[in-house]
Amino acid sequence: MNAWKRSKVSFVAAATILLWLKTYIVYKTSFEIKIENFRQELILLINPLSFLMFVLGISLFMKEKHQKRFILGTSFLISAILFANVVFYRFFNDFLTVPVLFQTSNMSDLGSSVNELVNVTDLFYFADFLILAVLIKWKPHFMEYPVYTKIGRRAYFLVAVAIAFFNLGLAEAERPQLLTRTFDREMLVKNIGTYNYHLYDVFLQSKSSAQRAMADGSELAEIDNYVRANHKEPSSDMFGIAKNKNIILISMESTQSFVINNTVNGEEVTPFLNDFIKESYYFDNFYHQTGQGKTSDSEFVVENSLYPLSRGAVFFTHSGNKFNATPKILSEKGYYTASLHANNKSFWNRDIMYKTLGYKRFYSLPDYEVNEENSVGWGMKDVDFFQQSVEHLKEMPKPFYAKFITLTNHFPFDLDEEDRYIEPYTSNDKTVNNYFPTVRYTDEALKLFIQKLKDEGLYDDSVIILYGDHYGISENHNRAMSEYLGTEVTPFVSAQLQRVPLIVHIPGQKGGTISTVSGQIDLKPTILHLLGIETKNDLEFGTDLFAKDRPDFAVLRDGSFITKNHVYTRETCYDKITGEPDEGSACQQFMEKSKNELEYSDKIIYGDLLRFYGRPDGTGKEITGKTN
Ligand code: GP9
Ligand code: MN
């Protein structure tokens, strides 16, 4: 009894240890951090400690009353940041970044998903804070508020610094060049810890703001040389084949290639697309190249032939830049350009970014009649969306460039009973199971849409291009996916699961399957060339999909890349035929290329370099910035 009375615990130590242990438990239970050896486990265990000691250590300069408040407040704040990461991770399989955090206009729309993502047991994520609060209230004498002498404080911070260096040293040994490889967030969190990662991210953010201010166009010459050297002439058979035709571009939400020509419970998942492919060009080795900006990133890469960013959504972070996007080019050529998407106009900052990209009109939520009957999950059902959109299409001046963004096949893949054309898959993973009926539903919506285009006489005058925006099933679902595919989803398989369908229907053309490796970045020059518009003076990284000598190449935003015979991912080069690591140098030459492309593209965006490129009429190549 007396011993109890006498032994006191330092409040700051209690808070630090609780937060530290909690963070480690959260690492192990809420994130999928791959640990390969004991040293990595040790890094993971110690990595939150130095940060927590520094931040909570500030309290050592305070009096008891202030200490209490500061420690409680800080502990709550840190827990909230950790929890936000957990929720974000459940959805995106990724860690938060500053730009994503400021996309608050998206949060209000997340409604249905958040319900799926958060539950009561999540109170655990605040357990340490609750324990501290209870102790203060009911066991105040149990706590001690040390006020250190100058020397004591120095010793404390010295220990914190020592731990930080120990951590960094171990991390550097385990993963050289860690801080230069910023597009692998898992690696960062694993090695320097989630809190230090956020600090680093804030540093990156300020760096990118500074980059624009500092850029002067002198970097353009090198990038321009690279682009010129890689430019491929369009195929003379296809150039201008669709001159003055309308373009109907359809972004299919979360649609991956593995559903095409595939079945679930013995039934076709995409019966309409499987037929439509037969009268179109179908690209079966076409990859999405999106990052954290998901749909918006796919819009960005498709329309600019530049890569999206490794962190944040470029739609948010750089909507003030100058771009030379397809809608802008076509608007200047007399096309009417519109994007149609039945969602809040500010989602992904589209209302702002679309102006920058040169769209004349954005048909968003208020342009549709949306009610309870025709909504599910994230909003308006695809069938109704397309049907109402045809009315808008009919009103548009011709020729038009119209982009449609579907929505129903979005996580968590909610669907009304009456819209279920096939039964869900039967694994114990609800997400994977429900994915199939919603894909099937969108397939039906597309069938009705194409029929309506025919009925309205728009079909024969329009090039129709359908593409999947990004993956729908993340790596969190590898187990159920392995079961469905009948093969284990290894990193090699996972990289190839990033294939999304691309279907190009050109009036009067029979089409056929084209299997060159390609990506969303290749769409802009392809579309413009079909319309007979030259792109040789555009600063971009894609290559016409019909160009005779186009290389088999696609680089994904995480740095993985795919060539004719190899897949490079997670720092391993795999042979496509055997699926086994290729110890030779086959991937070497492409490593340089993929690194260059991503870096050049990033430079263009961070430095807003296109403002220095082009003649005043926006058409040509002339570097107007300072060139040394
Ligand atoms: C929202 C829709 C879905 O408007 O485009 O966005 P996502 O979550 O797929 O990026
Ligand atoms: Mn999407």
Side-chain angles (χ1 to χ4, degrees):
M1 188 65 193
N2 277 346
W4 262 110
K5 256 188 188 160
R6 268 200 306 276
S7 65
K8 290 195 172 199
V9 176
S10 135
F11 194 49
V12 61
T16 310
I17 291 169
L18 283 173
L19 256 175
W20 174 26
L21 292 182
K22 180 181 75 177
T23 309
Y24 181 68
I25 296 172
V26 171
Y27 281 164
K28 298 303 285 180
T29 54
S30 307
F31 304 129
E32 272 172 49
I33 301 177
K34 210 169 83 205
I35 298 293
E36 286 151 356
N37 54 41
F38 174 73
R39 197 155 60 174
Q40 291 187 5
E41 192 70 67
L42 181 66
I43 297 174
L44 193 71
L45 175 69
I46 61 167
N47 75 30
L49 188 56
S50 57
F51 173 87
L52 295 174
M53 282 184 74
F54 276 119
V55 174
L56 292 168
I58 297 172
S59 71
L60 299 181
F61 296 91
M62 299 171 183
K63 299 239 159 52
E64 174 175 337
K65 199 174 88 197
H66 295 300
Q67 253 194 43
K68 246 188 236 174
R69 278 200 209 136
F70 176 82
I71 292 174
L72 265 186
T74 311
S75 158
F76 182 80
L77 194 74
I78 293 176
S79 302
I81 292 172
L82 188 65
F83 181 58
N85 265 298
V86 169
V87 175
F88 187 77
Y89 195 90
R90 286 175 188 163
F91 189 58
F92 290 103
N93 197 26
D94 200 350
F95 299 92
L96 277 169
T97 61
V98 181
V100 166
L101 209 59
F102 287 104
Q103 288 161 21
T104 43
S105 55
N106 276 9
M107 297 309 170
S108 56
D109 298 85
L110 273 169
S112 67
S113 302
V114 166
N115 283 343
E116 294 271 329
L117 295 169
V118 180
N119 51 54
V120 188
T121 49
D122 287 344
L123 267 179
F124 162 77
Y125 293 99
F126 294 88
D128 57 323
F129 169 78
L130 296 173
I131 292 173
L132 292 177
V134 165
L135 283 176
I136 285 189
K137 182 105 184 98
W138 283 290
K139 292 266 180 240
H141 304 298
F142 193 53
M143 289 289 140
E144 175 177 70
Y145 302 89
V147 180
Y148 285 120
T149 59
K150 220 174 182 177
I151 293 180
R153 281 198 294 257
R154 274 193 193 153
Y156 174 94
F157 283 105
L158 214 63
V159 171
V161 170
I163 294 174
F165 274 106
F166 180 58
N167 180 172
L168 269 179
L170 276 179
E172 184 59 30
E174 192 59 32
R175 178 67 51 193
Q177 296 180 323
L178 175 72
L179 299 184
T180 49
R181 291 178 41 84
T182 49
F183 50 78
D184 195 339
R185 277 176 284 276
E186 182 188 314
M187 212 80 87
L188 276 173
V189 171
K190 183 159 112 182
N191 285 289
I192 62 171
T194 170
Y195 308 120
N196 290 326
Y197 153 72
H198 285 307
L199 286 182
Y200 180 63
D201 186 52
V202 168
F203 160 74
L204 281 186
Q205 179 67 20
S206 359
K207 194 172 110 189
S208 81
S209 312
Q211 264 165 338
R212 184 187 190 277
M214 309 279 286
D216 62 8
S218 58
E219 288 141 318
L220 268 174
E222 186 188 342
I223 304 176
D224 192 51
N225 283 341
Y226 175 85
V227 169
R228 287 320 119 216
N230 286 285
H231 181 77
K232 299 276 179 267
E233 283 304 308
S235 128
S236 53
D237 300 342
M238 299 300 277
F239 189 82
I241 202 165
K243 205 169 174 40
N244 290 326
K245 293 262 185 253
N246 304 313
I247 297 284
I248 293 178
L249 190 62
I250 303 172
S251 158
M252 300 186 289
E253 178 57 47
S254 303
T255 308
Q256 288 170 250
S257 295
F258 75 85
V259 295
I260 302 289
N261 288 322
N262 214 340
T263 57
V264 70
N265 310 318
E267 295 196 77
E268 273 183 290
V269 188
T270 58
F272 169 70
L273 289 180
N274 298 348
D275 282 347
F276 194 59
I277 280 168
K278 292 183 195 136
E279 49 195 74
S280 310
Y281 289 100
Y282 173 53
F283 296 83
D284 61 357
N285 267 318
F286 178 78
Y287 286 79
H288 83 79
Q289 292 162 308
T290 61
Q292 291 187 317
K294 304 299 279 287
T295 311
S296 70
D297 274 0
S298 72
E299 295 179 64
F300 181 81
V301 52
V302 163
E303 297 188 318
N304 292 287
S305 196
L306 295 173
Y307 294 94
L309 296 177
S310 59
R311 42 192 289 287
V314 53
F315 261 44
F316 266 101
T317 54
H318 293 82
S319 59
N321 274 21
K322 182 171 185 293
F323 292 111
N324 187 29
T326 315
K328 174 171 170 276
I329 295 171
L330 290 181
S331 294
E332 283 160 6
K333 297 273 178 202
Y335 268 71
Y336 186 76
T337 52
S339 179
L340 301 94
H341 181 48
N343 198 358
N344 285 346
K345 64 179 187 341
S346 61
F347 200 96
W348 284 132
N349 204 28
R350 283 187 176 107
D351 50 345
I352 312 279
M353 189 56 158
Y354 280 172
K355 291 199 180 102
T356 305
L357 297 180
Y359 274 107
K360 288 200 173 130
R361 175 78 155 90
F362 178 19
Y363 292 87
S364 66
L365 203 54
D367 296 292
Y368 291 86
E369 211 166 298
V370 186
N371 50 45
E372 209 156 300
E373 246 104 85
N374 67 17
S375 301
V376 71
W378 273 52
M380 193 177 196
K381 295 181 183 179
D382 288 346
V383 169
D384 302 81
F385 162 63
F386 278 124
Q387 295 302 306
Q388 292 188 25
S389 292
V390 175
E391 299 310 311
H392 298 315
L393 267 191
K394 279 160 58 184
E395 284 165 12
M396 289 181 200
K398 315 285 176 312
F400 57 71
Y401 169 90
K403 174 167 75 181
F404 296 77
I405 302 168
T406 68
L407 194 55
T408 310
N409 186 41
H410 194 290
F411 178 86
F413 310 113
D414 285 336
L415 200 63
D416 289 337
E417 201 56 47
E418 79 236 31
D419 297 321
R420 211 179 239 189
Y421 297 92
I422 55 173
E423 288 307 305
Y425 183 55
T426 46
S427 72
N428 51 22
D429 186 326
K430 216 173 96 190
T431 302
V432 173
N433 297 352
N434 290 341
Y435 179 67
F436 295 94
T438 50
V439 173
R440 174 66 185 83
Y441 168 82
T442 299
D443 182 77
E444 193 68 18
L446 289 165
K447 177 175 130 190
L448 298 173
F449 178 51
I450 300 290
Q451 187 53 50
K452 187 110 184 172
L453 291 177
K454 288 180 179 166
D455 297 345
E456 301 291 351
L458 287 163
Y459 186 72
D460 290 330
D461 285 330
S462 308
V463 175
I464 300 168
I465 301 166
L466 300 108
Y467 68 91
D469 62 351
H470 49 75
Y471 67 79
I473 305 294
S474 73
E475 291 192 340
N476 289 339
H477 306 283
N478 278 357
R479 191 181 298 179
M481 275 302 283
S482 302
E483 191 182 322
Y484 174 74
L485 297 170
T487 177
E488 195 199 335
V489 180
T490 58
F492 166 72
V493 173
S494 192
Q496 290 178 89
L497 276 173
Q498 305 314 309
R499 270 177 289 194
V500 293
L502 170 66
I503 303 167
V504 180
H505 182 271
I506 306 171
Q509 293 277 308
K510 255 180 67 213
T513 299
I514 298 180
S515 298
T516 27
V517 177
S518 56
Q520 290 169 329
I521 200 139
D522 300 315
L523 263 172
K524 180 187 168 200
T526 307
I527 295 174
L528 290 176
H529 290 166
L530 288 173
L531 297 179
I533 299 167
E534 264 299 348
T535 64
K536 62 171 183 284
N537 287 330
D538 292 353
L539 204 62
E540 59 192 24
F541 297 98
T543 307
D544 187 333
L545 290 161
F546 296 107
K548 290 262 152 31
D549 51 351
R550 66 153 285 131
D552 281 84
F553 181 67
V555 49
L556 311 187
R557 189 55 260 201
D558 70 353
S560 302
F561 59 81
I562 298 92
T563 67
K564 195 173 174 55
N565 301 315
H566 293 87
V567 169
Y568 180 86
T569 188
R570 307 237 183 136
E571 287 161 53
T572 310
C573 182
Y574 293 92
D575 183 309
K576 261 190 187 170
I577 298 178
T578 61
E580 295 299 321
D582 183 330
E583 305 299 345
S585 58
C587 287
Q588 214 65 39
Q589 53 166 320
F590 292 99
M591 278 163 87
E592 189 66 20
K593 179 175 164 69
S594 58
K595 201 170 142 266
N596 273 344
E597 289 213 356
L598 292 174
E599 276 178 15
Y600 286 154
S601 180
D602 284 354
K603 268 192 186 159
I604 291 176
I605 297 169
Y606 284 126
D608 191 7
L609 296 186
L610 292 181
R611 68 197 149 124
F612 302 122
Y613 193 81
R615 286 191 288 270
D617 66 352
T619 54
K621 155 197 176 190
E622 185 188 343
I623 297 167
T624 55
K626 191 180 105 205
T627 46
N628 286 332

